[in-house]
Amino acid sequence: MASLFNEFRLKDVVLRNRIAVSPMCQYSSDNGFPNDWHFVHLGSRAVGGAGLVVVEATAVSPEGRISPADSGIYLDDHVQPFAKIAGFLKQHGACPGIQLAHAGRKASANKPWEGDNHIDSDKGGWDTIAPSAVAFGGNLTKVPRAMSVEDIARIQKAFIAAAKRALAAGFEWLELHLAHGYLAHEFYSPLANHRTDQYGGSFENRIRFLLETFTAVRKVWPERFPLTARLSVTDWIEGGVTVEESIELLRRLKSAGLDLVDVSQGFITPDISQVPWGPGFMIPTASRIRREAEIPTAVGWMISDPQQAEDAVRDQHADLVMLAREMLRDPYWPYHAALKLGDEKAASILPVQYARAVKAR
Ligand code: XEN
């Protein structure tokens, strides 16, 4: 049997295999509410056989949305539509997960297919906040307001409230978004954090927002369910965060109760020229982090070949593979991967409604 189809236990959650659907922004919500699009998009991937399906970056407060069309979980009324999605994912054998996020200085942007640029505050956008009053650059030119200590406390409370709502909606896997140049990453990276108070400067100070927020969420998220984080472990450029620093950060997050790291990279600057793009390019880094931070690890980025995914799990470079674009191309990727790897579980991956008609071939 292929290692990719081994169960994975984390806390009281048992995933049916090592294949996870990465959180992927759909830019299809209105005032944060998920709708039929999200239900079908996420539900299809559960039906397709993934062990874990993680809902897109879901904003903890309205100004934390990347775009006006982002999902959010900042209202009690958001719980019910998310509960419908979480319930369906679970009913179809996938663990329901959700990623909680605040976009910081990258918020108030157009959908990617409408330009990906900042929307003016008087044209449907809003004023943004970040650790420091420094614009991202590129298409995102808006200068954020530097957060006060009161702003920091308010956003941390928003993360706590969002985690409670996610639990009420039936999610059993929580991922905090500490990556991709959004708010938490902006605190972590010296490229975005120019503060001179206790939240900026030294490594200890730059990780304070991340550790405090994580610790606060851990208090309200039950021990029986995994609390995970997606971290950009490197900024790839001089002066940015490094893998070595991230290993130290992950050791501390682990002491604070982190159950798994979803290893990601970059996006703190618009310059992506130094990223070594290629199939599975983050697997060696994830492997090092898994070994040195001694923490269960998920890895994504340009993984599409079942054999590459299988090797990553079998050789213990990662515990889970996170698939994004490949899952958009093929919601039945787990079934097709099992066929390709010759795994006897292939037929049983399909739901009964389909399996009786579709023979493994
Ligand atoms: C291809 C994903 C890397 C950068 N982005 C990350 C996003 C949303 C859009 C782009 C995220 O983490 N929510």
Side-chain angles (χ1 to χ4, degrees):
M1 189 172 81
S3 304
L4 203 52
F5 295 95
N6 286 343
E7 287 182 346
F8 179 59
R9 173 181 280 277
L10 197 58
K11 295 287 179 68
D12 284 359
V13 167
V14 180
L15 306 184
R16 61 183 159 185
N17 57 46
R18 306 308 185 95
I19 303 164
V21 178
S22 256
M24 284 178 277
C25 292
Q26 298 299 297
Y27 307 101
S28 300
S29 296
D30 187 12
N31 190 20
F33 286 89
N35 52 43
D36 287 353
W37 175 262
H38 304 87
F39 183 77
V40 173
H41 160 67
L42 297 159
S44 316
R45 271 92 201 151
V47 168
L52 167 69
V53 177
V54 186
V55 173
E56 68 190 69
T58 299
V60 300
S61 64
E63 90 284 344
R65 292 170 298 163
I66 302 167
S67 79
D70 278 32
S71 288
I73 193 157
Y74 45 82
L75 299 175
D76 290 343
D77 283 349
H78 288 139
V79 170
Q80 196 277 328
F82 275 121
K84 182 178 159 195
I85 293 170
F88 186 86
L89 299 180
K90 193 163 162 90
Q91 189 186 351
H92 290 278
C95 174
I98 187 166
Q99 186 189 54
L100 299 184
H102 189 295
R105 66 181 181 175
K106 287 173 128 180
S108 182
N110 267 309
K111 299 172 188 177
W113 55 87
E114 289 175 1
D116 227 356
N117 56 321
H118 266 148
I119 308 172
D120 289 342
S121 301
D122 58 355
K123 295 199 176 91
W126 55 87
D127 295 346
T128 56
I129 54 171
S132 303
V134 183
F136 175 72
N139 271 354
L140 302 177
T141 52
K142 208 172 257 210
V143 178
R145 178 171 62 76
M147 290 167 76
S148 64
V149 172
E150 289 73 30
D151 290 321
I152 291 174
R154 177 175 63 81
I155 298 305
Q156 290 174 332
K157 282 198 184 110
F159 269 95
I160 296 169
K164 287 182 182 167
R165 292 190 191 102
L167 183 66
F171 289 103
E172 297 185 351
W173 183 288
L174 195 64
E175 178 172 282
L176 301 190
H177 201 341
L178 312 183
H180 300 170
Y182 298 120
L183 186 67
H185 186 184
E186 289 160 15
F187 273 96
Y188 181 30
S189 176
L191 299 175
N193 184 345
H194 301 174
R195 296 176 77 96
T196 51
D197 66 357
Q198 71 271 34
Y199 288 99
S202 65
F203 172 74
E204 302 289 332
N205 286 353
R206 286 185 285 108
I207 66 171
R208 192 177 308 282
F209 175 81
L210 287 72
L211 275 174
E212 282 181 359
T213 308
F214 179 87
T215 304
V217 171
R218 182 76 272 183
K219 286 195 182 122
V220 299
W221 184 252
E223 275 304 324
R224 69 183 185 281
F225 293 145
L227 180 54
T228 74
R230 191 166 209 193
L231 183 68
S232 281
V233 298
T234 169
D235 287 339
W236 299 115
I237 55 173
E238 194 71 33
V241 302
T242 62
V243 173
E244 289 71 25
E245 272 186 328
S246 294
I247 289 168
E248 180 53 29
L249 168 58
L250 287 166
R251 287 186 181 132
R252 301 205 196 179
L253 284 167
K254 186 184 168 196
S255 299
L258 182 71
D259 294 311
L260 174 140
V261 58
D262 177 358
V263 170
S264 198
Q265 50 85 28
F267 299 100
I268 194 75
T269 98
D271 177 8
I272 53 167
S273 60
Q274 294 187 53
V275 185
W277 307 107
F281 72 94
M282 286 306 290
I283 294 173
T285 307
S287 181
R288 178 176 169 202
I289 283 174
R290 187 175 183 273
R291 228 176 21 255
E292 295 186 26
E294 297 181 276
I295 185 153
T297 299
V299 65
W301 287 102
M302 298 176 79
I303 298 174
S304 54
D305 175 25
Q307 191 60 55
Q308 184 171 46
E310 165 63 13
D311 294 348
V313 174
R314 187 201 56 218
D315 298 342
Q316 297 179 30
H317 298 308
D319 298 280
L320 298 179
V321 287
M322 307 292 300
L323 301 187
R325 285 169 234 218
E326 197 54 24
M327 277 286 181
L328 299 184
R329 293 186 192 103
D330 179 10
Y332 296 97
W333 192 90
Y335 169 64
H336 291 134
L339 287 183
K340 191 160 177 202
L341 296 171
D343 193 282
E344 68 274 12
K345 276 200 181 153
S348 65
I349 287 173
L350 292 173
V352 283
Q353 294 92 328
Y354 296 177
R356 55 184 279 276
V358 182
K359 300 261 184 312
R361 61 185 157 79

